[in-house]
Amino acid sequence: MELKFDPPRVAINRVYTRLGDAGETSLAGGQRVAKESRRIEAYGAVDELNSFAGLARATASVAPALAELTAILLRVQHELFNLGSILATLPEDVHPKQARITDADVEQLEREMDRMNQELEPLRSFVLPGGSRLNAELHVGRTVCRRAERACVVLSRSEAVPAEAIRYLNRLSDALFVWSRWASHTTGARETLWEPNRSASGRSEG
């Protein structure tokens, strides 16, 4: 069954408020919390990830062959904003139709990963970021996603965090890896594989 969220209820008339000058910020329910709190760290990392997803989407959008990935990344940006919404809200303040991550979002990532991964050659080594600009951007997104996941896990040790939110970030980091490989495959960019003996010590003759 499709779930309909409430539309945003915001009116941004000016950007600065001066209310954060003392090192505090407001949650969605109006509570003032320290900017270094675990909840702020969690949704701040998700916000950072959203920016990197947008960067990768902008890079992918110039290649017609990557139109599918461009559309996926745009959807993911909306999903990350939904995730940020729920993380910025204390459990007791969550509304029934408030934007959030659901299992449907997780399952969609899994379907896309499985389908795209079928087009790729099996890996014989680990991949180094940087086979192309888009490849590198998606890998940056992957590592930021892992950090956001860790931040949510840390938060969940002391406060309630929806389990599907953590599952989503876990799948998304895997998806970003698959997308980095798929984008390289689709555009003909060569992957850079890890070769341990290309290090300075591996090349030394003793």
Side-chain angles (χ1 to χ4, degrees), residues 114-126:
D114 290 342
R115 178 170 48 79
M116 289 179 164
N117 203 43
Q118 288 177 352
E119 301 180 28
L120 305 176
E121 293 291 330
L123 277 174
R124 304 302 180 192
S125 182
F126 293 104

Side-chain angles (χ1 to χ4, degrees), residues 29-195:
Q31 301 89 346
R32 299 292 293 176
V33 297
K35 289 187 176 182
E36 74 272 17
S37 72
R38 292 173 177 176
R39 187 167 291 276
I40 302 304
E41 180 65 28
Y43 75 72
V46 169
D47 187 30
E48 182 182 355
L49 173 57
N50 204 333
S51 295
F52 279 111
L55 179 62
R57 177 168 64 89
T59 301
S61 67
V62 302
L66 298 177
E68 180 183 8
L69 178 58
T70 301
I72 289 173
L73 288 170
L74 177 58
R75 188 197 76 234
V76 164
Q77 286 190 267
H78 288 292
E79 290 167 354
L80 288 172
F81 222 100
N82 290 353
L83 174 55
S85 170
I86 208 71
L87 289 175
T89 308
L90 294 179
E92 59 267 28
D93 292 329
V94 172
H95 300 291
K97 291 187 177 181
Q98 182 173 339
R100 69 194 69 197
I101 286 296
T102 71
D103 284 329
D105 302 313
V106 178
E107 292 163 4
Q108 181 65 22
L109 288 176
E110 292 175 343
R111 285 192 294 269
E112 289 162 348
M113 266 192 289
D114 290 342
R115 178 170 48 79
M116 289 179 164
N117 203 43
Q118 288 177 352
E119 301 180 28
L120 305 176
E121 293 291 330
L123 277 174
R124 304 302 180 192
S125 182
F126 293 104
V127 177
L128 301 182
S132 68
R133 182 179 182 87
L134 178 58
N135 174 280
E137 290 169 354
L138 290 167
H139 273 285
V140 171
R142 173 183 62 80
T143 57
V144 174
C145 188
R146 286 296 191 195
R147 176 154 54 81
E149 179 188 5
R150 292 193 299 271
C152 287
V153 169
V154 170
L155 175 62
S156 73
R157 303 302 188 211
S158 58
E159 301 183 49
V161 174
E164 57 271 20
I166 296 175
R167 284 199 298 273
Y168 178 83
L169 289 170
N170 183 272
R171 298 304 187 282
L172 180 56
S173 62
D174 292 334
L176 285 159
F177 177 76
V178 171
W179 295 337
S180 72
R181 298 199 66 216
W182 183 85
S184 294
H185 168 76
T186 302
T187 60
R190 187 173 181 176
E191 288 187 303
T192 305
L193 299 182
W194 174 47
E195 299 177 43

